[in-house]
Amino acid sequence: MPSNKLARTNDDIQLVMSKLLREIKDPRVNQGMISVTRVETTGDMRYCKIWLSVMGLQNEKEFKKGLKSASGWLRRELGNSLKLRNTPEPVFELDHSIEYGAHINEIISGLDIKHDEDEE
């Protein structure tokens, strides 16, 4: 379990990164609605793993290439915003949980469920 300072830093990184990802002009990154679902920073503050969920993602490989090319700019802007001694290097992971949840919701709403007439 992270310490309070590390948990606050994770929250701050998540907030700033969600704003910065909207400012990227690379078309490989702007493929859909991007949400930062979770951030975990290592104890030595060298790396932060950032989980992203993208609704409407067309090409996952190109998306990751675009993030990798923008990671230097993202790290610099993150450091300017948070004023940390060491700015952690972002490592991006895709989180498919929102897409999975939407898929399950679609399946459930498509079920033909018969209701008892007593309930209505």
Side-chain angles (χ1 to χ4, degrees), residues 14-50:
Q14 184 173 357
L15 181 69
V16 171
M17 195 59 71
S18 65
K19 291 178 184 175
L20 290 175
L21 286 170
R22 290 187 202 115
E23 297 176 14
I24 295 176
K25 294 177 176 52
D26 192 341
R28 296 177 293 185
V29 176
N30 295 326
Q31 292 187 23
M33 186 180 75
I34 302 173
S35 300
V36 179
T37 56
R38 190 170 85 194
V39 174
E40 281 185 10
T41 307
T42 58
D44 60 358
M45 299 287 289
R46 286 192 179 266
Y47 299 97
C48 64
K49 190 176 271 193
I50 301 168

Side-chain angles (χ1 to χ4, degrees), residues 26 28-29 31 59-67:
D26 192 341
R28 296 177 293 185
V29 176
Q31 292 187 23
N59 190 342
E60 185 174 324
K61 193 177 236 184
E62 289 298 314
F63 180 74
K64 286 185 176 182
K65 282 182 185 178
L67 282 176

Side-chain angles (χ1 to χ4, degrees), residues 17 38 40 45 47 74 92 95 99 102 104-105 115:
M17 195 59 71
R38 190 170 85 194
E40 281 185 10
M45 299 287 289
Y47 299 97
L74 288 169
F92 296 101
D95 183 8
E99 289 176 353
I104 294 297
N105 192 23
H115 295 284

Side-chain angles (χ1 to χ4, degrees), residues 2-13:
S3 67
N4 285 337
K5 180 177 184 266
L6 199 54
R8 283 193 319 266
T9 303
N10 289 339
D11 292 341
D12 291 342
I13 290 172

